[in-house]
């Protein structure tokens, strides 16, 4: 149920076409809620049919012209209702952790290289988030909307920091394991 709300959020920030939404998802919301181009277009159709958004009128209607959408009052009300509702945290499901648990019983051959790969990926993501933070949240940018957006980014930074620290520790553990246990 969250994809429609992610789209409503993005459209309230800026009325957009489906293609523009896809690009914006890739640069912002997609860091924590991903969606394919097809999923976005499917949800736009549903949101429009439900009366939550509308296609913006164009000056010159043309076949194949991209449609831009804006949120209607009912869509804003739905997003406000949804954002105010409580929701329990989702249980963590991580394949890497499951694979480590399996390695404890069948041997850890090959998993150390994947831990290194994951560490590299998380370091790169952390660097990207920190770059966004420096670019988009300089000192003094403290309006309520900016503070909440920065809080979301800080969650990403903190999660990537956790993973880089944990993976570093995991690799240190691997270095201390007897070699026959790694095979």
């Amino acid at each position: 149920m969250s994809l429609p709300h992610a789209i409503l959020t993005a459209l309230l920030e800026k009325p957009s076409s489906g293609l523009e939404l896809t690009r914006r998802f890739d640069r912002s919301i997609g860091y924590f809620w991903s969606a394919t181009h097809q999923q976005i277009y499917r949800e736009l159709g549903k949101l429009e049919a439900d009366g939550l958004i509308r296609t913006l009128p164009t000056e010159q209607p043309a076949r194949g012209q991209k449609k831009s959408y804006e949120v209607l009052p009912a869509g804003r009300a739905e997003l406000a209702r949804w954002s105010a509702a409580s929701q329990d945290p989702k249980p963590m499901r991580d394949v890497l952790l499951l694979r480590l648990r399996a390695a404890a019983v069948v041997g850890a051959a090959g998993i150390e290289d994947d831990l290194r790969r994951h560490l590299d990926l998380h370091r790169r993501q952390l660097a990207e988030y920190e770059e966004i933070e420096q670019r988009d949240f300089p000192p003094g940018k403290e309006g309520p909307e900016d503070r909440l957006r920065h809080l979301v980014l800080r969650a990403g930074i903190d999660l990537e920091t956790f993973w880089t620290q944990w993976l570093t520790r995991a690799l240190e553990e691997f270095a201390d394991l007897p070699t026959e246990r790694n095979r």
Side-chain angles (χ1 to χ4, degrees):
M1 186 71 171
S2 296
L3 179 57
H5 298 99
I7 291 171
L8 288 170
T9 299
L11 288 175
L12 278 170
E13 291 173 344
K14 181 182 176 191
S16 305
S17 69
L19 181 58
E20 290 166 337
L21 277 173
T22 300
R23 289 180 180 150
R24 288 176 54 215
F25 262 69
D26 289 344
R27 292 187 321 265
S28 62
I29 291 175
Y31 286 118
F32 56 90
W33 197 268
S34 62
T36 66
H37 190 71
Q38 293 84 3
Q39 289 172 315
I40 289 172
Y41 273 96
R42 189 170 40 250
E43 287 302 326
L44 285 169
K46 290 177 187 175
L47 289 167
E48 191 170 27
D50 291 344
L52 301 179
I53 64 171
R54 74 176 181 122
T55 304
L56 288 171
T58 58
E59 289 138 26
Q60 299 177 7
R63 186 175 167 96
Q65 183 177 358
K66 69 179 180 181
K67 294 191 230 178
S68 288
Y69 299 88
E70 72 176 352
V71 177
L72 295 171
R76 180 180 283 276
E78 168 54 22
L79 187 60
R81 181 208 61 77
W82 178 80
S83 67
S86 72
Q87 185 175 10
D88 293 337
K90 299 288 182 207
M92 187 162 103
R93 293 177 61 173
D94 190 284
V95 172
L96 181 61
L97 297 177
L98 183 57
R99 289 176 52 223
L100 276 173
R101 184 71 184 250
V105 293
V106 298
I111 201 163
E112 187 174 0
D113 289 340
D114 206 34
L115 289 172
R116 286 189 206 312
R117 188 179 68 81
H118 278 252
L119 179 57
D120 182 56
L121 291 170
H122 285 287
R123 283 180 174 156
R124 282 190 270 159
Q125 190 64 63
L126 177 59
E128 186 174 344
Y129 286 161
E130 288 171 338
E131 183 180 306
I132 292 169
E133 182 178 42
Q134 287 181 348
R135 181 190 69 221
D136 294 349
F137 299 100
K141 190 172 184 181
E142 298 182 10
E145 291 175 353
D146 291 324
R147 290 175 67 186
L148 292 175
R149 287 183 184 118
H150 192 193
L151 192 59
V152 173
L153 178 61
R154 284 299 323 168
I157 290 170
D158 291 348
L159 284 169
E160 295 303 328
T161 299
F162 160 78
W163 280 112
T164 57
Q165 291 172 347
W166 182 85
L167 286 159
T168 299
R169 187 175 314 125
L171 287 165
E172 289 168 358
E173 285 292 326
F174 265 81
D176 288 342
L177 290 176
T179 52
E180 73 262 0
R181 190 71 181 143
N182 286 331
R183 294 176 192 215

